[in-house]
Amino acid sequence: MRDADDNRSNTAPAHVAIIMDGNGRWAKARGLPRTAGHKKGVDAVRRTVEAARELGIGTLTIFSFSSENWRRPEEEISDLMGLLRFYLRSEVAELHRAGIRLRVIGDRNRLSDDINRLIDNAEGLTRDNRVMTLVVALSYGSRLEIVHAARRLAEEAAAGRLSPDAIDEDALSARLYTADIPDPDLIIRTSGEKRISNFLLWQAAYAELVFVDTLWPDFTKRDLEAAIEEFHRRERRFGATTAGSR
């Protein structure tokens, strides 16, 4: 007979979020331009989406381009936007066939019109899919997201549509980009860096953090499984204590 821990260890986290890091270092180690690392990183996204679906993960969020990334050299940004266009044109039909819903979160005002149209089309096509949700954090920064949510609350209160007494955690959460997305259970960062870099700061309040040395282009299903195994070794108390703990 299986015990409760055995059953828990076979259950995938409902929401896994990944900070994809290491494309540049992967390319540098091979004497290749950074673009080559980013292209290999797209292959890793494809592998990881498929692995997440096979493992029964309900929501997978990937941090693809941060609000700070706009400070990178113009040529590199152009290459990244080109890869984004390629992904949205070449992969969305496959996501749809697999029953995967695509959601893009972030400040889309800085994206070009054609990319926004591709995003709108992809989200519309996959809106009713229920096998898994793939969330792409694009032009995303968590502090800016929280500022935007706070501004909306302030505007609604000033207009008399919202009582200041009604502003609580739920009210702010409902105005974040992720209002219709569950908070992450597990956040993985690749490449050995141990920080979350302005990613899902509000939503990650009780997430488990797992840092792996693997560079993102080399990330495989086995790496994802290992992170999930580490997740299941953790005791999640959500701020509460258990007997004998402090």
Side-chain angles (χ1 to χ4, degrees):
M1 179 181 293
R2 288 182 178 274
D3 61 24
D5 287 340
D6 289 333
N7 290 329
R8 185 183 68 174
S9 66
N10 289 326
T11 303
H15 182 180
V16 175
I18 305 179
I19 301 172
M20 307 179 297
D21 193 20
N23 290 345
R25 274 170 283 173
W26 185 94
K28 184 178 180 180
R30 291 159 177 78
L32 299 171
R34 289 179 65 88
T35 304
H38 295 315
K39 288 179 179 177
K40 292 296 288 187
V42 172
D43 293 338
V45 169
R46 189 179 296 114
R47 287 195 305 269
T48 303
V49 170
E50 177 61 19
R53 186 184 65 82
E54 292 174 355
L55 292 169
I57 293 169
T59 302
L60 174 70
T61 296
I62 56 174
F63 198 8
S64 63
F65 191 86
S66 75
S67 53
E68 291 79 15
N69 287 159
W70 289 109
R71 303 171 189 163
R72 291 187 176 185
E74 186 175 339
E75 183 178 356
E76 183 176 356
I77 292 173
S78 178
D79 289 338
L80 288 166
M81 292 299 114
L83 284 172
L84 174 61
R85 290 184 180 92
F86 173 80
Y87 187 87
L88 289 170
R89 288 169 178 152
S90 66
E91 301 293 326
V92 171
E94 181 57 35
L95 293 176
H96 187 46
R97 280 192 293 270
I100 297 172
R101 178 175 72 126
L102 180 69
R103 281 273 282 108
V104 175
I105 61 172
D107 180 8
R108 289 172 52 174
N109 291 325
R110 301 189 68 174
L111 300 174
S112 64
D113 290 343
D114 69 307
I115 288 178
N116 275 312
R117 284 193 297 271
L118 288 169
I119 292 171
D120 288 339
N121 291 339
E123 289 184 327
L125 176 66
T126 63
R127 180 176 292 116
D128 296 326
N129 293 341
R130 293 294 179 264
V131 172
M132 188 179 84
T133 297
L134 172 63
V135 182
V136 178
L138 177 64
S139 188
Y140 174 86
S142 190
R143 287 182 172 182
L144 184 60
E145 175 188 27
I146 294 169
V147 167
H148 284 170
R151 185 178 297 141
R152 286 183 59 190
L153 289 170
E155 290 170 349
E156 292 173 37
R161 297 191 302 272
L162 179 69
S163 167
D165 291 337
I167 297 174
D168 56 13
E169 291 183 14
D170 290 339
L172 194 144
S173 292
R175 289 156 179 82
L176 296 173
Y177 300 141
T178 56
D180 61 335
I181 300 166
D183 288 345
D185 301 290
L186 169 64
I187 295 180
I188 303 167
R189 182 172 185 142
T190 61
S191 86
E193 301 292 344
K194 294 178 173 62
R195 56 182 181 275
I196 57 175
S197 298
N198 198 20
F199 180 55
L200 299 179
L201 299 177
W202 177 275
Q203 300 88 338
Y206 291 105
E208 296 296 326
L209 309 180
V210 173
F211 302 102
V212 300
D213 291 332
T214 306
L215 300 177
W216 176 247
D218 294 327
F219 194 83
T220 66
K221 182 180 181 180
R222 181 64 197 124
D223 292 301
L224 180 58
E225 290 173 328
I228 292 172
E229 289 167 7
E230 171 62 24
F231 168 82
H232 283 305
R233 286 193 288 269
R234 310 278 180 87
E235 182 181 359
R236 304 186 75 201
R237 295 194 295 270
F238 301 96
T241 59
T242 57
S245 67
R246 290 179 179 269

